């Protein structure tokens, strides 16, 4: 069940959208390639494992035969010894005398060694002090090692004899006596460790003598460790029999591990340089090859200057190569698995493999011999992951920019605005956003993978659409805060500035001017990825960009519409409530509204994009007309036939036209305002002809709401039920064809 869930999640990650189905052949080919690689590795691994197993079984069989032969020989020797005892007269006495003499010799030798022990230690300390002065050469290294080995053997023999004597008090005394030796051993080990850590610099400095001395010390210790290991195995298997033979109970008693320490120092030396390399790489992703110059220099130094100085059985170049390769493998996987790794660094790692293997081949290492594979054959996975890194980076950037804009917008901050080269009011973050998208497109293109670039482009388009949606929702939420008459109107002007800046931003995204050689952000965005994707995807992306372009137009228009709506909601609220009431005749409501709007035009003409100015005028003209017509629903709206309402309507229309006639779209505005004539006809017509007047109005404005007609008629001072019934009857009879929406579609 878990495997199925994992597969489903993997497919969900790969196939986000219907168009991703086109990638199935590519994905299938890649999975088949990976499967073939895995199958090959499994076959190779199985073959190697079988060979190792067979070799191990053969070694066990050979070892068993050897052990049996040794056992047989030792039994023969034991039998001969027993038989010899019977052949020699007075053998027990001779044997006792022999053992006494041997023990006396051992005691005499041990006493002599103990008597000179401290003097020999002092001589070693003097040699170590001399080498302290010239650590790069250490001429006394072999002499120190030779003598120190003897002293350690003396200590081991003495301690072994004491332990066999089971005298705890003497054992403690001896341990105290040999404490100084431990200090000298640590001192010597520090010299050897320093030489091991500086082995590459010693080779590069052509200090061949020091390298050879170190190699001899390590080799001798390796031999001693093998003897100790063999002794320990013999004592474990045949303890009683082995104890009878002095030749296998003398010498070193413990593994000293100098060879293992030598190999570990190779790793430590490389790791010490790797730390600084990692820091450089994280700072500059394009410097990976340069940062690893030391890596290949070290291996080249081993190949050129160390191979002939080391024991051949060590295969020192292969040893260094395996250690360095495994270190490189582990380091790369650590970075790959780091969720904070940037897309640029991930791409550098993906491209590093080819360069790495080429350089290793020049040093004599074939790719097939370097195991494990540098990044565990995860190139395909990493490419997809790298694409997701870019996508996540884009999403995070877009979220961060939106959050900053939202906070500044809600807090009504003005420091995020600036005037562009044309003087238009703009937000500062829009330029940063498109610059970021441009950089990420370049990063995706540098992968040389079409599927990566296409996936990133799709994600960017989705992010841009989401940004449009979130802006529109936020604008509506903030504008709604000023809809309540009792709400605090502080910050209204800043909100209006924001609406102008946001509207200008949207136009900047699509503002192409071929004659002036000017391209909007969206066109430049398309040119960035156009050469990096397939023709099929380009068609799909172009359609998406067209939708995105329409979205920018809609959002900019929505900003202007919201701006106009705020003018009526806040500035004209009380004036609109007086229309068609008794106060209407004495007040200059239309005049005040046109003057106020003219002031707005003066304030924002220079900072509003020229293509939005006409929209601003048209939106205001439409909204003014809609609000004017809707005011027949005002409380107290009553038009008496004896009152000069006809003249007042004419005065309002003329006042409005005085404002709008200065603008290019005046003819269109004038045509829309003709609907006021229809309103007047409904108000001044005799009761008997009202249904006929309604029919004419309906045929001219097919989308007029019957509820508005009722509100108009109720505003007449002679309204009665028969008038309304006549209109409803006529509405049932009249059938008009639907056409383009008229201004009456907005009047409720």
């Amino acid at each position: 069940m878990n495997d199925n869930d994992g597969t489903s999640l993997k497919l969900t990650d790969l196939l986000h959208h219907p168009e991703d189905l086109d990638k199935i052949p590519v994905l299938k080919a890649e999975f088949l390639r990976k499967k073939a690689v895995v199958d090959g590795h499994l076959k190779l691994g199985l073959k190697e494992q079988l060979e190792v197993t067979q070799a191990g079984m053969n070694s066990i069989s050979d070892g068993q035969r050897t052990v049996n032969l040794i056992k047989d020989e030792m039994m023969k020797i034991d039998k001969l010894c027993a038989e010899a005892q019977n052949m020699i007269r007075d053998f027990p006495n001779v044997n006792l005398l022999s053992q006494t003499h041997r023990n006396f010799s051992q005691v005499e030798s041990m006493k002599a060694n103990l008597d000179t022990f401290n003097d020999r230690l002092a001589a070693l300390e003097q040699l170590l002090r001399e080498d302290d002065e010239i650590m790069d050469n250490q001429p006394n290294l072999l002499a120190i090692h030779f003598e120190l080995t003897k002293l350690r053997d003396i200590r081991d023999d003495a301690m072994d004899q004491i332990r066999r004597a089971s005298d705890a008090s003497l054992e403690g005394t001896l341990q105290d006596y040999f404490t100084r030796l431990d200090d000298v051993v640590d001192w010597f080990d520090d010299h050897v460790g320093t030489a091991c850590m500086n082995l590459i610099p010693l080779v590069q400095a052509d200090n061949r003598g020091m390298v050879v001395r170190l190699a001899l010390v390590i080799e001798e210790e390796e031999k001693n460790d093998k003897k100790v290991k063999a002794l320990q195995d013999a004592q474990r298997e045949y303890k009683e029999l082995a104890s009878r033979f002095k030749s296998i109970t003398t010498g070193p008693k413990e593994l000293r591990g100098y060879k293992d320490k030598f190999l570990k120092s190779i790793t430590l030396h490389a790791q010490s340089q790797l730390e600084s390399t990692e820091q450089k790489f994280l700072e500059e992703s394009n410097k990976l090859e340069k940062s690893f110059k030391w890596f290949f220099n070290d291996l080249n130094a081993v190949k050129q200057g160390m191979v002939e100085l080391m024991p051949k059985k060590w295969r020192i170049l292969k040893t260094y190569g395996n250690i360095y390769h495994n270190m490189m493998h582990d380091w790369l996987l650590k970075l790959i698995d780091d969720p904070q790794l940037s897309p640029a660094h991930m791409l550098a790692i993906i491209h590093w493999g080819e360069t790495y293997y080429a350089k290793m081949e020049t040093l004599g290492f074939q790719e097939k011999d370097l195991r494990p594979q540098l990044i565990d054959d995860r190139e395909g996975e990493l490419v997809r992951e790298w694409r997701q890194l870019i996508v996540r980076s884009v999403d995070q950037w877009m979220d961060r920019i939106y959050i900053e804009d939202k906070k500044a917008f809600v807090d009504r901050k003005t420091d995020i605005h600036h005037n562009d080269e044309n003087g238009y009011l703009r937000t500062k973050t829009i330029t940063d956003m498109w610059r970021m998208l441009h950089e990420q497109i370049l990063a995706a293109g540098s992968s040389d993978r079409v599927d990566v670039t296409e996936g990133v482009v799709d994600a960017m388009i989705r992010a841009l659409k989401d940004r449009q949606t979130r802006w529109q929702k936020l604008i509506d939420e903030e504008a709604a805060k000023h809809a309540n008459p009792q709400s605090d109107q502080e910050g209204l002007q800043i909100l209006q500035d924001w609406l102008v800046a946001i509207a200008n931003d949207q136009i900047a995204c699509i503002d192409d001017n071929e004659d002036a050689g000017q391209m909007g952000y969206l066109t430049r965005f398309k040119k960035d990825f156009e050469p990096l994707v397939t023709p099929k995807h380009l068609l799909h992306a172009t359609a998406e960009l067209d939708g995105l372009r329409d979205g920018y137009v809609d959002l900019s228009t929505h900003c202007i519409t919201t701006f106009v709506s705020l003018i009526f909601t806040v500035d004209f609220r009380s004036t609109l409530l007086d229309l068609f009431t008794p106060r209407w005749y004495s007040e200059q409501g239309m005049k005040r509204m046109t003057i106020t709007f003219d002031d707005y035009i003066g304030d924002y003409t220079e900072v509003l994009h020229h293509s939005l100015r006409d929209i601003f005028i048209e939106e205001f003209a439409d909204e003014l007309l809609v609000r004017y017509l809707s005011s027949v629903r005002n409380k107290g709206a009553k038009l008496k036939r004896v009152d000069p309402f006809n003249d007042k309507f004419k005065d309002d229309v003329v006042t409005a036209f005085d404002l709008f006639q200065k603008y290019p779209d005046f003819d269109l505005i004038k045509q829309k305002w003709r609907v006021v004539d229809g309103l007047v006809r409904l108000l001044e017509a005799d009761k008997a002809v009202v249904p006929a007047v309604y029919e004419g109005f309906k045929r001219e404005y097919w989308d007029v709401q019957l509820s508005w007609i009722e509100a108009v008629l109720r505003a007449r001072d002679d309204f009665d039920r028969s008038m309304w019934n006549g209109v409803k009857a006529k509405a049932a009879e009249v059938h008009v064809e639907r056409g383009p929406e008229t201004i009456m579609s907005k009047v409720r």
Side-chain angles (χ1 to χ4, degrees):
M1 181 64 182
N2 292 335
D3 291 342
N4 292 336
D5 291 343
T7 302
S8 300
L9 290 173
K10 191 68 175 177
L11 289 174
T12 302
D13 292 338
L14 294 174
L15 305 174
H16 283 295
H17 306 285
E19 57 268 18
D20 289 337
L21 293 175
D22 297 334
K23 302 176 183 177
I24 288 179
V26 176
L27 293 173
K28 181 179 179 182
E30 184 171 346
F31 286 140
L32 288 175
R33 180 188 65 78
K34 291 184 68 176
K35 180 179 181 297
V37 171
V38 172
D39 289 344
H41 287 171
L42 288 175
K43 290 179 181 178
L44 181 60
L46 180 59
K47 180 181 177 182
E48 292 176 349
Q49 192 63 38
L50 287 173
E51 292 175 352
V52 170
T53 303
Q54 186 63 49
M57 293 175 65
N58 293 337
S59 297
I60 292 173
S61 298
D62 294 341
Q64 187 64 45
R65 284 194 296 271
T66 303
V67 169
N68 290 334
L69 290 172
I70 294 173
K71 181 179 179 182
D72 292 341
E73 291 298 322
M74 294 182 75
M75 290 177 67
K76 290 179 182 178
I77 294 172
D78 188 54
K79 182 179 179 182
L80 289 173
C81 289
E83 292 174 350
Q85 293 177 15
N86 297 325
M87 294 171 61
I88 301 174
R89 183 180 302 176
D90 298 328
F91 178 79
N93 295 328
V94 173
N95 186 46
L96 178 61
L97 182 61
S98 174
Q99 289 181 0
T100 302
H101 182 270
R102 185 165 59 248
N103 291 339
F104 180 79
S105 297
Q106 289 178 354
V107 171
E108 188 179 41
S109 176
M110 181 61 67
K111 182 179 181 303
N113 287 332
L114 292 177
D115 288 342
T116 60
F117 193 84
N118 286 325
D119 293 337
R120 294 165 72 178
L121 268 182
L124 285 179
E125 289 173 341
Q126 178 59 34
L127 293 176
L128 286 168
R129 277 191 289 272
E130 291 176 4
D131 279 2
D132 277 341
E133 301 299 325
I134 43 176
M135 289 293 289
D136 291 341
N137 198 24
Q138 298 188 45
N140 301 317
L141 185 65
L142 290 179
I144 295 171
H145 176 255
F146 180 75
E147 183 66 14
L148 187 60
T149 300
K150 289 183 178 181
L151 295 182
R152 294 172 83 171
D153 289 345
I154 292 171
R155 189 264 311 271
D156 292 346
D157 289 340
M159 295 303 299
D160 184 58
Q161 291 179 29
I162 286 296
R163 291 189 185 101
R164 281 189 279 134
S166 302
D167 191 336
S169 61
L170 290 178
E171 184 177 351
T173 301
L174 272 179
Q175 285 178 343
D176 294 340
Y177 187 80
F178 292 128
T179 300
R180 187 178 169 195
L181 175 63
D182 292 332
D183 295 336
V184 174
V185 169
D186 291 340
W187 194 350
F188 173 75
D189 287 350
D190 182 61
H191 280 210
V192 173
T194 301
C196 289
M197 290 296 294
N198 293 306
L199 190 54
I200 295 294
L202 289 173
V203 173
Q204 292 172 337
D206 200 27
N207 194 341
R208 300 165 67 87
M210 180 63 206
V211 175
V212 171
R213 286 191 289 275
L214 178 64
L216 290 173
V217 169
I218 303 298
E219 184 182 25
E220 185 63 26
E221 288 295 334
E222 183 182 24
K223 292 177 182 178
N224 289 337
D225 282 350
K226 287 182 179 180
K227 292 179 182 178
V228 172
K229 185 69 169 57
L231 175 61
Q232 290 174 346
D233 292 343
Q235 289 177 334
R236 185 167 51 252
E237 297 294 333
Y238 309 102
K239 183 175 182 179
E240 182 179 352
L241 190 59
S243 64
R244 299 183 186 181
F245 296 92
K246 177 174 171 45
S247 60
I248 63 173
T249 59
T250 59
K253 302 295 189 296
E254 296 180 354
L255 294 171
R256 294 169 183 168
Y258 278 82
K259 179 64 179 295
D260 292 336
K261 294 175 183 177
F262 169 70
L263 296 177
K264 186 176 181 180
S265 70
I266 297 175
T267 302
L268 292 175
H269 168 77
Q271 286 179 341
S272 65
Q273 299 187 79
L274 187 61
E275 292 175 0
S276 61
T277 298
E278 180 173 343
Q279 184 63 33
K280 293 177 182 177
F281 174 58
L282 293 177
E283 291 174 357
E284 295 184 83
S285 60
N286 60 339
K287 298 295 180 62
L288 183 58
E289 181 176 354
K290 183 178 180 181
S291 300
F292 270 111
K293 185 177 180 181
W294 63 267
F295 183 96
F296 302 103
N297 285 345
D298 282 4
L299 293 178
N300 187 58
V302 173
K303 180 180 179 181
Q304 300 296 331
M306 193 184 298
V307 171
E308 61 182 8
L309 305 179
M310 295 285 179
K312 290 185 178 179
K313 62 182 179 181
W314 286 3
R315 303 178 67 185
I316 194 65
L317 179 59
K318 186 176 187 301
T319 299
Y320 261 90
N322 289 338
I323 292 174
Y324 273 47
H325 175 74
N326 278 278
M327 181 195 65
M328 177 70 76
H329 166 269
D330 295 343
W331 180 74
L332 290 175
L333 289 189
K334 183 192 76 170
L335 292 178
I336 289 169
D337 294 333
D338 183 359
Q340 303 300 322
L341 190 67
S342 72
H345 291 88
M346 180 67 78
L347 179 63
I349 292 174
I350 293 171
H351 287 166
W352 174 237
E354 183 177 352
T355 303
Y356 172 80
Y357 281 119
K359 287 182 174 292
M360 291 297 281
E361 186 172 358
T362 62
L363 293 169
F365 298 96
Q366 298 300 316
E367 181 175 350
K368 62 183 178 60
D369 297 328
L370 292 171
R371 288 290 176 267
Q373 202 278 337
L374 189 59
I375 53 176
D376 290 345
D377 291 314
R378 292 170 58 181
E379 286 86 352
E381 173 192 342
L382 292 181
V383 168
R384 287 191 299 273
E385 187 174 337
W386 182 68
R387 180 181 67 187
Q388 288 304 113
L389 274 175
I390 297 179
V391 170
R392 283 199 300 271
S393 179
V394 169
D395 290 340
Q396 290 169 358
W397 261 93
M398 296 295 281
D399 287 341
R400 191 180 305 116
I401 290 174
Y402 175 73
I403 290 171
E404 291 176 1
D405 285 346
K406 178 180 179 180
K407 187 177 187 309
F409 184 46
V410 172
D411 294 344
R412 303 293 188 263
K413 294 181 179 179
T414 58
D415 56 354
I416 199 171
H417 297 153
H418 77 290
N419 295 91
D420 64 12
E421 64 277 6
N422 297 312
Y424 302 145
L425 195 63
R426 298 267 299 279
T427 64
K428 296 178 180 178
T429 52
I430 188 71
T431 303
D432 296 336
M433 181 193 76
W434 285 105
R435 183 186 300 113
M436 179 273 297
L437 294 178
H438 169 73
E439 292 172 353
Q440 296 302 328
I441 285 290
L442 294 180
S446 64
S447 69
D448 297 326
R449 294 284 296 256
V450 173
D451 56 333
V452 170
T453 306
E454 291 177 351
V456 170
V457 170
D458 290 342
M460 289 178 173
I461 292 175
R462 288 195 300 272
L464 290 170
K465 287 184 176 180
D466 182 62
R467 178 178 170 84
Q468 290 178 346
T469 303
R470 291 200 285 183
W471 261 125
Q472 182 160 339
K473 181 180 179 182
L474 182 61
I475 288 169
D476 291 341
E477 291 173 354
E478 292 303 304
K481 295 178 181 179
H482 296 273
N484 191 332
Q486 306 302 322
S487 62
D488 185 6
Q489 302 302 331
E490 183 179 358
L492 175 63
Q493 181 181 349
I494 300 176
L495 173 60
Q496 291 169 331
D497 291 345
W498 264 97
L499 292 173
V500 169
I502 296 171
N504 286 338
D505 283 349
Q506 312 316 305
I507 297 302
C509 293
I510 56 175
D511 190 16
D512 297 333
N513 188 335
E514 295 182 2
D515 295 337
Q518 173 183 317
M519 291 186 294
Y521 290 122
L522 195 61
T523 300
R524 277 181 272 176
F525 173 66
K526 181 181 179 183
K527 287 187 176 295
D528 283 342
F529 72 77
E530 196 169 14
L532 305 175
V533 300
T534 61
K536 181 178 180 181
H537 184 270
L538 184 59
L539 288 174
H540 163 73
T542 300
E544 292 292 320
L545 292 181
D546 289 341
L548 200 56
R549 189 180 301 274
D550 293 340
Y552 285 125
V553 173
D554 293 342
L555 182 55
S556 63
T557 303
H558 184 70
C559 291
I560 299 303
T561 302
T562 303
F563 190 119
V564 170
S565 179
L566 286 171
I567 294 175
F568 283 90
T569 301
V570 179
D571 294 276
F572 299 164
R573 179 183 290 126
S574 59
T575 302
L576 291 171
L577 293 176
D578 289 340
L579 293 179
F580 311 142
T581 66
R583 291 173 56 86
W584 175 48
Y585 296 97
S586 58
E587 297 290 336
Q588 297 293 318
M590 181 62 75
K591 186 70 173 178
R592 287 200 303 273
M593 289 189 289
T594 56
I595 290 175
T596 300
F597 182 71
D598 200 35
D599 290 340
Y600 273 111
I601 291 294
D603 292 339
Y604 287 98
T605 294
E606 298 300 324
V607 297
L608 182 64
H609 193 277
H610 63 85
S611 65
L612 293 174
R613 293 171 196 159
D614 294 341
I615 296 176
F616 192 24
I617 302 297
E618 183 180 354
E619 287 293 327
F620 178 79
D622 286 354
E623 188 66 15
L624 179 60
L625 180 56
V626 169
R627 299 283 183 129
Y628 190 75
L629 296 174
S630 299
S631 294
V632 296
R633 299 179 182 276
N634 284 345
K635 183 178 180 180
K638 188 65 68 175
L639 299 170
K640 298 179 180 180
R641 299 175 64 77
V642 296
D643 291 337
F645 63 81
N646 198 338
D647 293 338
K648 185 59 177 174
F649 274 115
K650 290 180 180 179
D651 182 62
D652 284 350
V653 171
V654 169
T655 301
F657 285 178
D658 286 343
L659 171 67
F660 299 129
Q661 67 182 356
K662 299 181 293 185
Y663 304 109
D665 292 333
F666 175 60
D667 290 340
L668 178 61
I669 295 172
K670 185 177 181 181
Q671 182 67 22
K672 291 180 179 179
W673 275 72
R674 288 182 60 252
V675 71
V676 178
D677 292 338
L679 169 62
V680 173
R681 289 198 299 272
L682 286 170
L683 291 172
E684 66 181 5
D686 291 336
K687 294 172 63 174
V689 298
V690 166
V693 174
Y694 162 73
E695 180 181 2
F697 195 92
K698 179 68 175 179
R699 293 191 182 281
E700 189 171 358
Y701 302 97
W702 65 271
D703 47 4
V704 63
Q705 300 291 317
L706 200 58
S707 59
W708 181 78
I709 296 294
E710 181 183 5
V712 172
L713 297 180
R714 287 183 179 277
R716 292 173 54 126
D717 62 336
D718 59 348
F719 173 78
D720 58 24
R721 181 61 58 183
S722 61
M723 181 189 300
W724 175 234
N725 289 336
V727 170
K728 288 195 293 183
K730 180 60 69 174
E733 296 175 3
V734 175
H735 297 284
V736 295
E737 293 183 2
R738 299 172 63 89
E741 286 188 352
T742 71
I743 191 65
M744 292 308 300
S745 65
K746 301 178 181 180
V747 180
R748 297 289 183 265

